[in-house]
Amino acid sequence: RSSLPDDLHPSMIIAVANIARFRELRKGEEYSFGDDAGGPAKPDAVLANLLRDGPALGMHVWIWADSAGTLTRWISRQALRDIELRILMQMSASDSNQLIDSNTANRLDRYVVLVHDDVEGKAIKLRPYALGQTLEKLSR
């Protein structure tokens, strides 16, 4: 896609459900002295490139992690900054501060999520519903 910027490409969403299951995506040593020039790109480097350059090319990555600790073990700080939209559920104040520079997710009620837009610096609280409940409310 980057080599053919004038071509029309459909949008694509890459979903990584439970990133902890994908050991190949775990970030490599940042201070590695090995020389990988000429070899194929490692999966963790491909993921970091997708997070950084993918949205401009119509390739979006959806990542689900069971905890902030898991996310920081798998994704580098720079790659984490490249994730613009984050959805958080109730968590500790330190995890919330680590992910969105605010402890707002610590004060969430049960079944309430926080959608944080890093670009605009805004966070919206919402209570997601099951499809049946949503359709039932709309039909009233």
Side-chain angles (χ1 to χ4, degrees), residues 7-49:
D7 288 1
L8 188 60
H9 301 285
S11 292
M12 182 183 302
I13 296 176
I14 296 110
V16 182
N18 194 2
I19 194 168
R21 293 184 345 180
F22 299 96
R23 297 188 190 278
E24 300 84 20
L25 295 178
R26 191 169 184 166
K27 68 181 174 184
E29 294 295 321
E30 294 181 25
Y31 302 107
S32 167
F33 295 107
D35 185 16
D36 293 332
K42 292 187 177 185
D44 64 323
V46 172
L47 178 61
N49 288 339

Side-chain angles (χ1 to χ4, degrees), residues 21-98:
R21 293 184 345 180
F22 299 96
R23 297 188 190 278
E24 300 84 20
L25 295 178
R26 191 169 184 166
K27 68 181 174 184
E29 294 295 321
E30 294 181 25
Y31 302 107
S32 167
F33 295 107
D35 185 16
D36 293 332
K42 292 187 177 185
D44 64 323
V46 172
L47 178 61
N49 288 339
L50 274 172
L51 290 171
R52 184 185 62 240
D53 301 329
L57 301 171
M59 299 176 73
H60 306 277
V61 181
W62 174 84
I63 297 173
W64 177 80
D66 60 351
S67 69
T70 299
L71 192 61
T72 57
R73 282 191 299 275
W74 260 254
I75 296 179
S76 69
R77 288 180 191 223
Q78 179 56 48
L80 192 57
R81 282 191 290 262
D82 291 330
I83 299 174
E84 294 178 2
L85 286 175
R86 300 171 191 162
I87 300 174
L88 290 79
M89 297 180 80
Q90 189 179 47
M91 62 181 57
S92 71
S94 63
D95 287 349
S96 180
N97 279 322
Q98 183 178 8

Side-chain angles (χ1 to χ4, degrees), residues 98-136:
Q98 183 178 8
L99 294 173
I100 61 171
D101 295 329
S102 169
N103 65 353
T104 308
N106 181 330
R107 298 185 304 265
L108 292 175
D109 292 332
R110 194 172 177 168
Y111 306 120
V112 174
V113 298
L114 183 73
V115 179
H116 179 78
D117 186 347
D118 205 36
V119 173
E120 295 187 19
K122 293 181 181 178
I124 301 169
K125 291 181 186 180
L126 62 101
R127 183 181 304 270
Y129 291 94
L131 182 60
Q133 292 171 338
T134 304
L135 293 176
E136 182 180 312

